[in-house]
Amino acid sequence: MQQPGLVFSRRIRTTPFTSRVMHGGVKLATVYNHMVLASEFRSLKEDCEHLCSHVQVWDVSVQRQIQISGPDANKLVQWMTPRNLGKAQPDQCFYVPLCDENGGIVNDPIAINVSPQSWWLSISDSDVLLWAKGLAVGRGMDVKIREVDVWPIAIQGPKAETLVERVFGEAVRDIRFFRYKRLAYKGHDFIVARSGWSKQGGFEVYVDDARLGQELWDELFARGEDLNVGHGCPNLIERIESGLLSFGSDLDLATTPLQVGLDRFCHLDEDLDSMSLPALRAQREQGVPSRLMGLVVPGLERTVEDMQIYNPSGECVGELTSQVYSPRFNAWLGYALVERAAFDLPQLGIDANRHQAHVSELPFNFDQILAHCA
Ligand code: THG
């Protein structure tokens, strides 16, 4: 089936790298934070294999930076998240669920404390700017909130460190997971973090100068030729195999961190000024009404249209939030929000109950999956 193209405007924004991504042969794109994001180059399978063997450069400008600065910046950001920000090191990338007064997830950004009174929230796909401004105005807080001109590039894959070291020098090797350094490129300091939305290892460069960013992009491709550097983007197969969650699909305002396995980022026993703590504490007491689980169907080589999941009596006990066929495991992999009554079932029906899926914790337990697929 022919799919429609995408029209760019000030509503669906391009990035400094869009023409390069197009020359790189992007086949499918989506919209995220009102901005274009590639989703496929050759095919999901080939993109995934390349990502897991070599190194890719991703235009992840859609990871917009919401800057919250001013005397009340720390207070506002802490109010928005149940994770204790007091524990953030100055060079740390802090994965923080943002939750509303019911514990519902507003967004799940990476927060960086860029200077003593200033945070960058590297957001997933929802309008954090409006939420933060509303809270600040409502509470009369002394902060400035804006989306800054930053367009992150991700360099991902097993050869990412080699490539990034060629451009930024050997200091790159000393950056630990979810830490960052400011490293010079052509005389300009960029934030370079060991992070990225894959489990293949790699870095993210927070490009805050569009022209230099384009030179950096071209240099990564020039210097990476012998490493088989390629174009890429967040890959559906790889991210599901790796257990990474996607806001808007697997988590949203209707779910809390306790339901989607982000408990470790909620410091419920600490004395924090955070709006979601009472609701999250109450939910911990009562137990969650549903939770996100992994589903596996060995040998099922396609996706399914029916988003419901079923118990052995054929009753609907939840819904799929993400799914993909994994060539590596020759299995269909899904995430599902499963209702409490079905928590202990080892299998659940999918695809109008035509297939039985093995239930797994997230992230998936590969040994268990391989045993099922054997
Ligand atoms: N990088 C940056 N910004 C982002 C993303 C990113 N903004 C949008 C989106 N991705 C935010 N969501 C996530 C979700 C998961 C992770 C990062 C961002 C992630 N999680 C690791 C995990 O689940 O194992 C580690 C989390 C931790 O231990 O702190 O990487 O990718 N800049």
Side-chain angles (χ1 to χ4, degrees):
M1 188 172 38
Q2 171 87 29
Q3 295 198 323
L6 199 56
V7 177
F8 301 130
S9 67
R10 277 157 63 92
R11 290 187 296 103
I12 298 183
R13 301 169 288 179
T14 56
T15 86
F17 313 111
T18 298
S19 66
R20 287 165 172 76
V21 169
M22 288 188 172
H23 279 113
V26 63
K27 268 193 200 145
L28 286 174
T30 185
V31 175
Y32 189 105
N33 282 326
H34 315 280
M35 189 175 254
V36 62
L37 171 65
S39 52
E40 203 174 305
F41 283 83
R42 280 174 284 186
S43 68
L44 278 185
K45 178 173 185 280
E46 287 171 274
D47 292 353
C48 183
E49 285 167 358
H50 181 265
L51 167 62
C52 298
S53 318
H54 304 289
V55 51
Q56 295 182 341
V57 179
W58 299 357
D59 174 7
V60 281
S61 300
V62 299
Q63 296 171 180
R64 305 308 297 154
Q65 306 305 305
I66 304 304
Q67 177 173 291
I68 301 182
S69 52
D72 290 333
N74 291 356
K75 193 173 164 59
L76 175 56
V77 180
Q78 185 64 78
W79 178 238
M80 293 165 73
T81 178
R83 184 167 184 185
N84 186 352
L85 293 177
K87 293 183 175 166
Q89 299 298 307
D91 66 341
Q92 198 168 355
C93 307
F94 230 50
Y95 184 44
V96 290
L98 305 183
C99 298
D100 73 3
E101 76 285 10
N102 301 314
I105 302 170
V106 170
N107 198 284
D108 66 331
I110 291 177
I112 294 182
N113 199 182
V114 285
S115 62
Q117 289 191 351
S118 185
W119 289 85
W120 280 1
L121 300 180
S122 184
I123 60 170
S124 53
D125 189 21
S126 72
D127 294 318
V128 171
L129 178 77
L130 302 179
W131 170 244
K133 281 185 74 97
L135 294 173
V137 171
R139 287 190 105 195
M141 288 176 145
D142 187 0
V143 287
K144 283 207 162 55
I145 305 174
R146 62 191 188 95
E147 183 179 314
V148 288
D149 289 334
V150 175
W151 305 271
I153 298 177
I155 301 99
Q156 301 287 297
K159 302 177 188 170
E161 185 173 67
T162 307
L163 178 54
V164 175
E165 184 183 359
R166 286 180 189 177
V167 176
F168 284 100
E170 60 188 27
V172 157
R173 296 200 172 263
D174 299 329
I175 304 174
R176 290 192 286 139
F177 183 62
F178 265 57
R179 297 292 170 123
Y180 71 87
K181 283 190 198 297
R182 290 176 200 270
L183 298 177
Y185 173 72
K186 296 192 176 172
H188 180 89
D189 274 349
F190 287 102
I191 291 179
V192 180
R194 195 183 286 269
S195 57
W197 214 58
S198 85
K199 286 280 168 196
Q200 304 311 310
F203 297 84
E204 292 182 299
V205 182
Y206 289 74
V207 172
D208 57 357
D209 179 309
R211 253 193 54 83
L212 265 183
Q214 289 165 340
E215 290 178 28
L216 170 65
W217 179 283
D218 295 338
E219 185 148 348
L220 286 165
F221 276 89
R223 297 250 207 146
E225 230 170 299
D226 61 313
L227 303 174
N228 194 7
V229 64
H231 289 268
C233 53
N235 181 276
L236 185 66
I237 301 171
E238 196 279 340
R239 81 96 176 163
I240 289 184
E241 289 176 349
S242 298
L244 287 167
L245 306 182
S246 180
F247 183 85
S249 294
D250 313 312
L251 59 165
D252 61 19
L253 212 45
T255 54
T256 71
L258 310 185
Q259 292 177 272
V260 299
L262 298 181
D263 315 49
R264 66 189 184 284
F265 303 113
C266 301
H267 296 133
L268 304 186
D269 296 317
E270 297 183 29
D271 183 24
L272 301 175
D273 186 20
S274 168
M275 79 173 89
S276 57
L277 284 191
L280 291 173
R281 285 178 185 141
Q283 188 176 63
R284 181 176 61 176
E285 271 322 291
Q286 288 155 17
V288 291
S290 61
R291 66 185 182 95
L292 200 67
M293 296 186 180
L295 300 179
V296 181
V297 182
L300 179 58
E301 291 185 38
R302 55 177 175 81
T303 53
V304 302
E305 267 177 42
D306 178 17
M307 297 303 278
Q308 300 197 331
I309 57 170
Y310 305 89
N311 67 13
S313 320
E315 292 156 347
C316 175
V317 290
E319 58 180 17
L320 292 179
T321 63
S322 289
Q323 58 168 322
V324 79
Y325 169 67
S326 160
R328 188 202 315 252
F329 295 108
N330 183 29
W332 174 93
L333 303 178
Y335 298 170
L337 204 54
V338 179
E339 289 169 13
R340 194 204 295 237
F343 280 179
D344 296 325
L345 297 176
Q347 298 204 329
L348 290 165
I350 64 154
D351 194 22
N353 222 6
R354 282 189 285 260
H355 291 276
Q356 287 298 307
H358 301 282
V359 179
S360 158
E361 292 297 324
L362 286 174
F364 290 104
N365 177 335
F366 294 117
D367 296 335
Q368 200 183 320
I369 293 173
L370 288 168
H372 288 314
C373 296

